Amino acid sequence: MDTDSPLKDERRLHILDAASELLAIRPTASLADIAQHAHIGKATLHRYFSTREALLIELAYRALNLVSDVIATCRLDQDPAPVALGRLAEALVPHGDKWYFLLNEHFWDVHPDLIQAEETVQAPILALIERGQAEGTFRRDISPTWMIYMLDFTLFAAWQAIFDGTIARRDAPRLMIEGLLGGIMTKT
Amino acid sequence: MDTDSPLKDERRLHILDAASELLAIRPTASLADIAQHAHIGKATLHRYFSTREALLIELAYRALNLVSDVIATCRLDQDPAPVALGRLAEALVPHGDKWYFLLNEHFWDVHPDLIQAEETVQAPILALIERGQAEGTFRRDISPTWMIYMLDFTLFAAWQAIFDGTIARRDAPRLMIEGLLGGIMTKT
DNA sequence: ATAAAATGAGATAAAATTGTCTCAAAATAG
DNA sequence: CTATTTTGAGACAATTTTATCTCATTTTAT
């Protein structure tokens, strides 16, 4: 990728974000659909991303980077685990579409460097859950794997509910956190 | 649909079920992919379902009928709401792929009779949640809509975890029910 | 304000998917 | 067992999606 003007960078990100949103709602969306959703022309889409695959790969990296940044700012190793997990969940809700994209796109085999980067995202979350189990705030009779599934799917539920307009953006983090934590915390 | 032999009926259902499973995992799967997943030839797939749309429509009806049957057998109007909801969740887990299909396919506008049928599925669940709130076992500070989102997404999480082989089929209902109920039940 | 760059609509080409068909082999029915 | 039906591989046709390109218009940079 060349050095572009700030405007073109901004455009590029806007397209990626529009693609992310639409693909979360409709994974089968065509490039014409994506261009329309981004309010740009099809030719412009191709100018920014030469192939569908190029778009998807770049979106994967963007999603990964965004999510990594969120995780880095959440201090998952501080405070009791439920607090830290709540913090993480709240920060991730606006990025639910990208989270969904990362979970569901099937190109990991083709791009092995993406696998490594993806593990750097999962590791701190797994460590947080294991910390919660060690400190007794998370149940030990439920596997960390299942807890991660619950996080993944609850996060996307919250994102989709916002998108659908059925819950308010400002309520989503609280609802999600309560729904999630209620299922995995020990009863005190 | 003509009257076919029992064998052809069984074949047809097997194809629908294979399609359902693959589409839950990979919504962008092509008809060639679906045929392969069902272990049949592409020509055979087309003999059973003349177009992709025909396949999807019939899958929608099958999913609806299956889910409706499950709901009809679950006595949602009996026992405390958490018990009834647990019963429902447990019964729905094996049909998570079909539940996901119903939630995500975008053909409701084109087939209005499917909309009505879909509402006959949603209404008893909504009624159950509202009963739970009335009897004080479900929280009233969380909207029934959000509870339904939680049910939907938790169900699919359980189905996918089974599919991925990360939880045992026999554990999935319990894990799902605990995860779900912990988030929506009142604390007693 | 002007020149350069970017854009979108739409036409066109290439590739992929959907859909159709043939025929030898496999499965089924009786 | 035999006759009939069904099937799958693969060739081919039709349709859709992806990708390429043109050019007048719009936007941006200076």
Side-chain angles (χ1 to χ4, degrees):
Chain A
M1 225 185 352
D2 302 342
T3 51
D4 291 323
S5 69
L7 185 66
K8 291 198 73 174
D9 283 341
E10 189 183 327
R11 286 264 161 80
R12 187 175 209 96
L13 295 188
H14 159 73
I15 297 171
L16 286 171
D17 290 345
S20 178
E21 183 175 270
L22 184 62
L23 290 169
I25 297 300
R26 191 147 48 89
T28 56
S30 64
L31 289 180
D33 295 331
I34 290 169
Q36 184 173 50
H37 192 65
H39 300 295
I40 60 171
K42 194 156 55 70
T44 300
L45 180 60
H46 281 286
R47 287 196 193 96
Y48 279 87
F49 307 97
S50 53
T51 63
R52 184 182 181 98
E53 186 184 30
L55 172 67
L56 297 183
I57 298 297
E58 197 164 327
L59 182 51
Y61 277 107
R62 172 157 173 77
L64 262 175
N65 290 337
L66 268 180
V67 167
S68 298
D69 287 349
V70 165
I71 288 170
T73 61
C74 280
R75 299 168 284 120
L76 295 190
D77 55 348
Q78 295 170 29
D79 297 315
V83 176
L85 187 65
R87 210 160 42 222
L88 174 67
E90 177 158 355
L92 281 178
V93 166
H95 305 294
D97 57 332
K98 293 183 176 57
W99 191 253
Y100 178 82
F101 181 80
L102 288 177
L103 290 186
N104 286 279
E105 283 302 324
H106 294 270
F107 42 60
W108 305 114
D109 342 337
V110 191
H111 294 269
D113 45 328
L114 275 172
I115 304 180
Q116 288 178 20
E118 203 260 348
E119 290 197 355
T120 68
V121 168
Q122 294 286 345
I125 298 176
L126 184 60
L128 171 62
I129 288 171
E130 284 166 349
R131 173 163 74 90
Q133 288 184 326
E135 81 194 14
T137 49
F138 288 167
R139 295 166 59 160
R140 296 200 188 103
D141 57 326
I142 301 183
S143 72
T145 302
W146 174 244
M147 288 182 187
I148 287 177
Y149 273 80
M150 285 290 292
L151 170 66
D152 292 343
F153 283 87
T154 309
L155 172 60
F156 190 60
W159 183 88
Q160 179 139 7
I162 295 171
F163 182 86
D164 295 341
T166 57
I167 62 174
R169 184 177 300 266
R170 74 173 175 274
D171 291 340
R174 175 180 59 84
L175 287 171
M176 178 199 161
I177 292 161
E178 290 188 0
L180 180 64
L181 290 182
I184 66 174
M185 277 177 70
T186 49
K187 314 287 163 109
T188 55
Chain B
M1 222 182 355
D2 302 342
T3 52
D4 291 323
S5 69
L7 184 66
K8 291 196 72 172
D9 284 341
E10 187 185 326
R11 287 264 162 82
R12 186 174 209 99
L13 295 188
H14 159 74
I15 297 171
L16 285 172
D17 290 344
S20 177
E21 182 175 271
L22 183 62
L23 290 170
I25 297 299
R26 189 146 50 88
T28 57
S30 65
L31 290 179
D33 296 331
I34 290 168
Q36 184 172 52
H37 193 67
H39 301 295
I40 58 171
K42 194 157 56 74
T44 301
L45 180 61
H46 279 287
R47 287 194 195 98
Y48 279 87
F49 307 96
S50 53
T51 64
R52 185 183 181 99
E53 184 183 33
L55 172 68
L56 297 184
I57 299 298
E58 197 164 328
L59 181 52
Y61 277 106
R62 172 158 173 76
L64 262 174
N65 289 337
L66 268 180
V67 168
S68 298
D69 288 348
V70 165
I71 288 170
T73 60
C74 279
R75 298 167 287 121
L76 295 190
D77 54 350
Q78 295 169 31
D79 297 317
V83 175
L85 188 65
R87 211 159 43 224
L88 175 67
E90 177 155 356
L92 282 178
V93 166
H95 306 295
D97 57 332
K98 293 182 177 58
W99 192 256
Y100 177 83
F101 181 79
L102 288 177
L103 290 187
N104 285 281
E105 285 301 323
H106 295 268
F107 42 61
W108 304 116
D109 342 338
V110 191
H111 294 268
D113 46 329
L114 274 172
I115 303 181
Q116 288 178 22
E118 202 258 350
E119 288 196 355
T120 67
V121 167
Q122 293 286 346
I125 298 175
L126 184 60
L128 171 62
I129 287 169
E130 283 165 350
R131 172 159 76 89
Q133 288 183 325
E135 78 192 19
T137 49
F138 289 166
R139 294 166 59 160
R140 294 200 188 104
D141 58 327
I142 301 182
S143 73
T145 300
W146 174 243
M147 289 181 184
I148 287 178
Y149 271 82
M150 286 291 291
L151 170 67
D152 293 342
F153 282 88
T154 310
L155 173 61
F156 190 60
W159 184 87
Q160 178 140 6
I162 295 172
F163 183 87
D164 294 343
T166 57
I167 61 173
R169 184 180 299 269
R170 75 173 173 273
D171 290 340
R174 175 177 61 83
L175 286 172
M176 179 198 159
I177 293 162
E178 290 188 357
L180 180 62
L181 289 182
I184 67 176
M185 277 178 68
T186 49
K187 315 284 166 121
T188 54

